[in-house]
mmCIF file of all heavy atoms in Angstrom:
data_model
loop_
_atom_site.group_PDB
_atom_site.id
_atom_site.type_symbol
_atom_site.label_atom_id
_atom_site.label_comp_id
_atom_site.label_asym_id
_atom_site.label_seq_id
_atom_site.Cartn_x
_atom_site.Cartn_y
_atom_site.Cartn_z
ATOM 1 N N GLN A 216 10.300 18.192 4.274
ATOM 2 C CA GLN A 216 9.440 19.331 3.971
ATOM 3 C C GLN A 216 7.973 18.886 3.907
ATOM 4 O O GLN A 216 7.665 17.797 3.457
ATOM 5 C CB GLN A 216 9.822 19.972 2.629
ATOM 6 C CG GLN A 216 11.245 20.507 2.596
ATOM 7 C CD GLN A 216 12.234 19.434 2.148
ATOM 8 O OE1 GLN A 216 11.887 18.272 2.019
ATOM 9 N NE2 GLN A 216 13.484 19.864 1.948
ATOM 10 N N ARG A 217 7.072 19.730 4.345
ATOM 11 C CA ARG A 217 5.659 19.395 4.359
ATOM 12 C C ARG A 217 5.020 19.559 2.984
ATOM 13 O O ARG A 217 3.964 18.980 2.718
ATOM 14 C CB ARG A 217 4.915 20.275 5.381
ATOM 15 C CG ARG A 217 5.321 19.999 6.817
ATOM 16 C CD ARG A 217 4.487 20.833 7.785
ATOM 17 N NE ARG A 217 3.070 20.535 7.655
ATOM 18 C CZ ARG A 217 2.459 19.524 8.257
ATOM 19 N NH1 ARG A 217 3.143 18.693 9.018
ATOM 20 N NH2 ARG A 217 1.167 19.320 8.107
ATOM 21 N N TRP A 218 5.638 20.348 2.076
ATOM 22 C CA TRP A 218 5.045 20.591 0.762
ATOM 23 C C TRP A 218 5.002 19.288 -0.029
ATOM 24 O O TRP A 218 5.991 18.581 -0.163
ATOM 25 C CB TRP A 218 5.853 21.643 0.005
ATOM 26 C CG TRP A 218 5.251 21.995 -1.320
ATOM 27 C CD1 TRP A 218 4.158 22.757 -1.560
ATOM 28 C CD2 TRP A 218 5.739 21.585 -2.601
ATOM 29 N NE1 TRP A 218 3.912 22.844 -2.908
ATOM 30 C CE2 TRP A 218 4.871 22.136 -3.572
ATOM 31 C CE3 TRP A 218 6.819 20.799 -3.021
ATOM 32 C CZ2 TRP A 218 5.059 21.926 -4.938
ATOM 33 C CZ3 TRP A 218 7.005 20.595 -4.370
ATOM 34 C CH2 TRP A 218 6.123 21.164 -5.306
ATOM 35 N N ARG A 219 3.842 18.936 -0.523
ATOM 36 C CA ARG A 219 3.608 17.694 -1.259
ATOM 37 C C ARG A 219 4.151 16.480 -0.509
ATOM 38 O O ARG A 219 4.789 15.597 -1.081
ATOM 39 C CB ARG A 219 4.214 17.757 -2.669
ATOM 40 C CG ARG A 219 3.486 18.717 -3.586
ATOM 41 C CD ARG A 219 4.017 18.662 -5.007
ATOM 42 N NE ARG A 219 3.728 17.385 -5.655
ATOM 43 C CZ ARG A 219 2.600 17.105 -6.278
ATOM 44 N NH1 ARG A 219 1.617 18.003 -6.325
ATOM 45 N NH2 ARG A 219 2.416 15.926 -6.846
ATOM 46 N N SER A 220 3.908 16.446 0.795
ATOM 47 C CA SER A 220 4.418 15.337 1.612
ATOM 48 C C SER A 220 3.532 14.098 1.525
ATOM 49 O O SER A 220 3.937 13.026 1.936
ATOM 50 C CB SER A 220 4.540 15.778 3.076
ATOM 51 O OG SER A 220 3.271 16.155 3.591
ATOM 52 N N ARG A 221 2.297 14.242 1.021
ATOM 53 C CA ARG A 221 1.436 13.068 0.838
ATOM 54 C C ARG A 221 1.962 12.246 -0.332
ATOM 55 O O ARG A 221 2.128 12.764 -1.435
ATOM 56 C CB ARG A 221 0.003 13.500 0.542
ATOM 57 C CG ARG A 221 -0.714 14.102 1.739
ATOM 58 C CD ARG A 221 -2.022 14.729 1.296
ATOM 59 N NE ARG A 221 -2.791 15.163 2.455
ATOM 60 C CZ ARG A 221 -3.904 14.585 2.870
ATOM 61 N NH1 ARG A 221 -4.405 13.559 2.205
ATOM 62 N NH2 ARG A 221 -4.550 15.022 3.952
ATOM 63 N N GLN A 222 2.202 10.971 -0.090
ATOM 64 C CA GLN A 222 2.757 10.131 -1.145
ATOM 65 C C GLN A 222 1.968 8.824 -1.248
ATOM 66 O O GLN A 222 1.214 8.456 -0.346
ATOM 67 C CB GLN A 222 4.243 9.863 -0.883
ATOM 68 C CG GLN A 222 5.072 11.153 -0.903
ATOM 69 C CD GLN A 222 6.532 10.921 -1.200
ATOM 70 O OE1 GLN A 222 7.017 9.800 -1.197
ATOM 71 N NE2 GLN A 222 7.248 12.003 -1.483
ATOM 72 N N GLU A 223 2.151 8.154 -2.387
ATOM 73 C CA GLU A 223 1.414 6.929 -2.705
ATOM 74 C C GLU A 223 2.384 5.749 -2.750
ATOM 75 O O GLU A 223 3.378 5.783 -3.469
ATOM 76 C CB GLU A 223 0.720 7.081 -4.056
ATOM 77 C CG GLU A 223 -0.076 5.874 -4.495
ATOM 78 C CD GLU A 223 -0.684 6.061 -5.889
ATOM 79 O OE1 GLU A 223 -0.272 7.016 -6.598
ATOM 80 O OE2 GLU A 223 -1.550 5.262 -6.265
ATOM 81 N N ALA A 224 2.098 4.718 -1.964
ATOM 82 C CA ALA A 224 2.935 3.513 -1.953
ATOM 83 C C ALA A 224 2.401 2.513 -2.969
ATOM 84 O O ALA A 224 1.200 2.252 -3.021
ATOM 85 C CB ALA A 224 2.944 2.888 -0.570
ATOM 86 N N LEU A 225 3.294 1.955 -3.760
ATOM 87 C CA LEU A 225 2.939 0.944 -4.752
ATOM 88 C C LEU A 225 3.772 -0.305 -4.505
ATOM 89 O O LEU A 225 5.001 -0.235 -4.413
ATOM 90 C CB LEU A 225 3.208 1.459 -6.171
ATOM 91 C CG LEU A 225 3.085 0.427 -7.302
ATOM 92 C CD1 LEU A 225 1.654 -0.056 -7.436
ATOM 93 C CD2 LEU A 225 3.591 0.998 -8.618
ATOM 94 N N TYR A 226 3.088 -1.449 -4.383
ATOM 95 C CA TYR A 226 3.749 -2.744 -4.207
ATOM 96 C C TYR A 226 3.311 -3.687 -5.326
ATOM 97 O O TYR A 226 2.145 -3.659 -5.749
ATOM 98 C CB TYR A 226 3.385 -3.372 -2.864
ATOM 99 C CG TYR A 226 4.028 -2.725 -1.660
ATOM 100 C CD1 TYR A 226 3.509 -1.547 -1.125
ATOM 101 C CD2 TYR A 226 5.150 -3.285 -1.057
ATOM 102 C CE1 TYR A 226 4.097 -0.942 -0.021
ATOM 103 C CE2 TYR A 226 5.734 -2.697 0.043
ATOM 104 C CZ TYR A 226 5.215 -1.521 0.562
ATOM 105 O OH TYR A 226 5.799 -0.936 1.651
ATOM 106 N N SER A 227 4.244 -4.516 -5.790
ATOM 107 C CA SER A 227 3.926 -5.612 -6.697
ATOM 108 C C SER A 227 4.329 -6.916 -6.019
ATOM 109 O O SER A 227 5.465 -7.062 -5.560
ATOM 110 C CB SER A 227 4.684 -5.481 -8.019
ATOM 111 O OG SER A 227 4.190 -4.418 -8.796
ATOM 112 N N PHE A 228 3.390 -7.870 -5.943
ATOM 113 C CA PHE A 228 3.653 -9.172 -5.337
ATOM 114 C C PHE A 228 3.704 -10.223 -6.437
ATOM 115 O O PHE A 228 2.848 -10.241 -7.329
ATOM 116 C CB PHE A 228 2.566 -9.517 -4.320
ATOM 117 C CG PHE A 228 2.585 -8.640 -3.104
ATOM 118 C CD1 PHE A 228 1.871 -7.454 -3.072
ATOM 119 C CD2 PHE A 228 3.338 -8.986 -1.991
ATOM 120 C CE1 PHE A 228 1.897 -6.626 -1.967
ATOM 121 C CE2 PHE A 228 3.373 -8.166 -0.871
ATOM 122 C CZ PHE A 228 2.652 -6.982 -0.853
ATOM 123 N N TYR A 229 4.688 -11.112 -6.350
ATOM 124 C CA TYR A 229 4.896 -12.155 -7.351
ATOM 125 C C TYR A 229 4.531 -13.496 -6.708
ATOM 126 O O TYR A 229 5.239 -13.990 -5.830
ATOM 127 C CB TYR A 229 6.337 -12.128 -7.853
ATOM 128 C CG TYR A 229 6.658 -10.810 -8.496
ATOM 129 C CD1 TYR A 229 7.095 -9.710 -7.733
ATOM 130 C CD2 TYR A 229 6.465 -10.617 -9.859
ATOM 131 C CE1 TYR A 229 7.337 -8.485 -8.330
ATOM 132 C CE2 TYR A 229 6.724 -9.389 -10.457
ATOM 133 C CZ TYR A 229 7.150 -8.324 -9.680
ATOM 134 O OH TYR A 229 7.388 -7.098 -10.268
ATOM 135 N N LEU A 230 3.410 -14.059 -7.151
ATOM 136 C CA LEU A 230 2.834 -15.214 -6.487
ATOM 137 C C LEU A 230 3.286 -16.520 -7.126
ATOM 138 O O LEU A 230 3.437 -16.603 -8.346
ATOM 139 C CB LEU A 230 1.305 -15.150 -6.535
ATOM 140 C CG LEU A 230 0.644 -13.837 -6.079
ATOM 141 C CD1 LEU A 230 -0.865 -14.022 -6.031
ATOM 142 C CD2 LEU A 230 1.169 -13.395 -4.724
ATOM 143 N N PRO A 231 3.480 -17.569 -6.318
ATOM 144 C CA PRO A 231 3.730 -18.899 -6.890
ATOM 145 C C PRO A 231 2.560 -19.338 -7.759
ATOM 146 O O PRO A 231 1.429 -18.865 -7.598
ATOM 147 C CB PRO A 231 3.863 -19.784 -5.643
ATOM 148 C CG PRO A 231 4.247 -18.850 -4.537
ATOM 149 C CD PRO A 231 3.559 -17.555 -4.856
ATOM 150 N N GLU A 232 2.820 -20.262 -8.667
ATOM 151 C CA GLU A 232 1.816 -20.695 -9.639
ATOM 152 C C GLU A 232 0.537 -21.183 -8.949
ATOM 153 O O GLU A 232 0.582 -21.950 -7.993
ATOM 154 C CB GLU A 232 2.394 -21.824 -10.498
ATOM 155 C CG GLU A 232 1.483 -22.284 -11.610
ATOM 156 C CD GLU A 232 2.117 -23.335 -12.492
ATOM 157 O OE1 GLU A 232 3.360 -23.350 -12.577
ATOM 158 O OE2 GLU A 232 1.388 -24.142 -13.086
ATOM 159 N N GLY A 233 -0.598 -20.724 -9.448
ATOM 160 C CA GLY A 233 -1.881 -21.178 -8.935
ATOM 161 C C GLY A 233 -2.359 -20.469 -7.690
ATOM 162 O O GLY A 233 -3.420 -20.798 -7.147
ATOM 163 N N SER A 234 -1.611 -19.470 -7.192
ATOM 164 C CA SER A 234 -1.974 -18.777 -5.962
ATOM 165 C C SER A 234 -3.037 -17.721 -6.218
ATOM 166 O O SER A 234 -3.163 -17.203 -7.327
ATOM 167 C CB SER A 234 -0.738 -18.114 -5.343
ATOM 168 O OG SER A 234 0.278 -19.067 -5.104
ATOM 169 N N VAL A 235 -3.782 -17.360 -5.155
ATOM 170 C CA VAL A 235 -4.842 -16.362 -5.278
ATOM 171 C C VAL A 235 -4.909 -15.533 -4.007
ATOM 172 O O VAL A 235 -4.742 -16.049 -2.893
ATOM 173 C CB VAL A 235 -6.207 -17.036 -5.565
ATOM 174 C CG1 VAL A 235 -6.569 -18.056 -4.498
ATOM 175 C CG2 VAL A 235 -7.309 -16.006 -5.696
ATOM 176 N N VAL A 236 -5.130 -14.229 -4.162
ATOM 177 C CA VAL A 236 -5.304 -13.343 -3.011
ATOM 178 C C VAL A 236 -6.731 -13.473 -2.493
ATOM 179 O O VAL A 236 -7.697 -13.374 -3.255
ATOM 180 C CB VAL A 236 -5.000 -11.883 -3.387
ATOM 181 C CG1 VAL A 236 -5.378 -10.932 -2.240
ATOM 182 C CG2 VAL A 236 -3.523 -11.725 -3.709
ATOM 183 N N THR A 237 -6.851 -13.704 -1.181
ATOM 184 C CA THR A 237 -8.164 -13.940 -0.584
ATOM 185 C C THR A 237 -8.482 -12.988 0.571
ATOM 186 O O THR A 237 -9.534 -13.133 1.200
ATOM 187 C CB THR A 237 -8.274 -15.395 -0.093
ATOM 188 O OG1 THR A 237 -7.119 -15.716 0.709
ATOM 189 C CG2 THR A 237 -8.320 -16.359 -1.262
ATOM 190 N N SER A 238 -7.603 -12.022 0.856
ATOM 191 C CA SER A 238 -7.936 -11.014 1.876
ATOM 192 C C SER A 238 -6.955 -9.851 1.785
ATOM 193 O O SER A 238 -5.848 -9.986 1.264
ATOM 194 C CB SER A 238 -7.910 -11.611 3.294
ATOM 195 O OG SER A 238 -6.586 -11.905 3.681
ATOM 196 N N ALA A 239 -7.387 -8.713 2.315
ATOM 197 C CA ALA A 239 -6.527 -7.534 2.435
ATOM 198 C C ALA A 239 -7.141 -6.614 3.481
ATOM 199 O O ALA A 239 -8.341 -6.693 3.778
ATOM 200 C CB ALA A 239 -6.389 -6.807 1.094
ATOM 201 N N ALA A 240 -6.313 -5.752 4.041
ATOM 202 C CA ALA A 240 -6.810 -4.798 5.043
ATOM 203 C C ALA A 240 -5.882 -3.597 5.088
ATOM 204 O O ALA A 240 -4.705 -3.683 4.715
ATOM 205 C CB ALA A 240 -6.907 -5.446 6.426
ATOM 206 N N LEU A 241 -6.411 -2.461 5.538
ATOM 207 C CA LEU A 241 -5.655 -1.222 5.729
ATOM 208 C C LEU A 241 -5.962 -0.692 7.113
ATOM 209 O O LEU A 241 -7.119 -0.707 7.550
ATOM 210 C CB LEU A 241 -6.052 -0.187 4.664
ATOM 211 C CG LEU A 241 -5.396 1.198 4.756
ATOM 212 C CD1 LEU A 241 -3.902 1.116 4.442
ATOM 213 C CD2 LEU A 241 -6.075 2.183 3.806
ATOM 214 N N TRP A 242 -4.944 -0.243 7.817
ATOM 215 C CA TRP A 242 -5.159 0.369 9.119
ATOM 216 C C TRP A 242 -5.481 1.851 8.930
ATOM 217 O O TRP A 242 -4.714 2.595 8.316
ATOM 218 C CB TRP A 242 -3.929 0.202 10.000
ATOM 219 C CG TRP A 242 -3.900 -1.105 10.743
ATOM 220 C CD1 TRP A 242 -4.140 -1.291 12.073
ATOM 221 C CD2 TRP A 242 -3.617 -2.405 10.215
ATOM 222 N NE1 TRP A 242 -4.039 -2.622 12.409
ATOM 223 C CE2 TRP A 242 -3.721 -3.335 11.277
ATOM 224 C CE3 TRP A 242 -3.320 -2.890 8.942
ATOM 225 C CZ2 TRP A 242 -3.512 -4.699 11.116
ATOM 226 C CZ3 TRP A 242 -3.114 -4.250 8.774
ATOM 227 C CH2 TRP A 242 -3.210 -5.138 9.838
ATOM 228 N N VAL A 243 -6.631 2.280 9.438
ATOM 229 C CA VAL A 243 -7.074 3.677 9.364
ATOM 230 C C VAL A 243 -7.305 4.166 10.786
ATOM 231 O O VAL A 243 -8.103 3.582 11.530
ATOM 232 C CB VAL A 243 -8.374 3.808 8.537
ATOM 233 C CG1 VAL A 243 -8.833 5.265 8.498
ATOM 234 C CG2 VAL A 243 -8.173 3.277 7.116
ATOM 235 N N ASN A 244 -6.570 5.206 11.164
ATOM 236 C CA ASN A 244 -6.647 5.748 12.538
ATOM 237 C C ASN A 244 -6.435 4.644 13.577
ATOM 238 O O ASN A 244 -7.139 4.569 14.600
ATOM 239 C CB ASN A 244 -7.993 6.431 12.769
ATOM 240 C CG ASN A 244 -8.203 7.611 11.853
ATOM 241 O OD1 ASN A 244 -7.251 8.344 11.540
ATOM 242 N ND2 ASN A 244 -9.426 7.804 11.391
ATOM 243 N N GLY A 245 -5.452 3.767 13.304
ATOM 244 C CA GLY A 245 -5.111 2.720 14.251
ATOM 245 C C GLY A 245 -6.030 1.515 14.243
ATOM 246 O O GLY A 245 -5.815 0.558 14.991
ATOM 247 N N GLU A 246 -7.061 1.518 13.373
ATOM 248 C CA GLU A 246 -8.022 0.423 13.339
ATOM 249 C C GLU A 246 -7.885 -0.353 12.030
ATOM 250 O O GLU A 246 -7.819 0.237 10.954
ATOM 251 C CB GLU A 246 -9.443 0.978 13.458
ATOM 252 C CG GLU A 246 -10.530 -0.073 13.362
ATOM 253 C CD GLU A 246 -11.926 0.530 13.326
ATOM 254 O OE1 GLU A 246 -12.065 1.733 13.662
ATOM 255 O OE2 GLU A 246 -12.868 -0.181 12.939
#
């Protein structure tokens, strides 16, 4: 159904000790 079809994705990542996130990206309109 199209009613309230927009949804939010939530992810949790569990990193090894001492790790750090150093980049991220989202594809918007294929870019």
Side-chain angles (χ1 to χ4, degrees):
Q216 299 89 351
R217 294 184 60 84
W218 183 75
R219 290 186 67 85
S220 61
R221 289 170 173 250
Q222 297 203 349
E223 180 183 13
L225 171 66
Y226 287 80
S227 289
F228 292 89
Y229 299 86
L230 309 187
E232 184 176 334
S234 303
V235 57
V236 172
T237 50
S238 70
L241 177 68
W242 274 254
V243 179
N244 298 324
E246 177 187 345

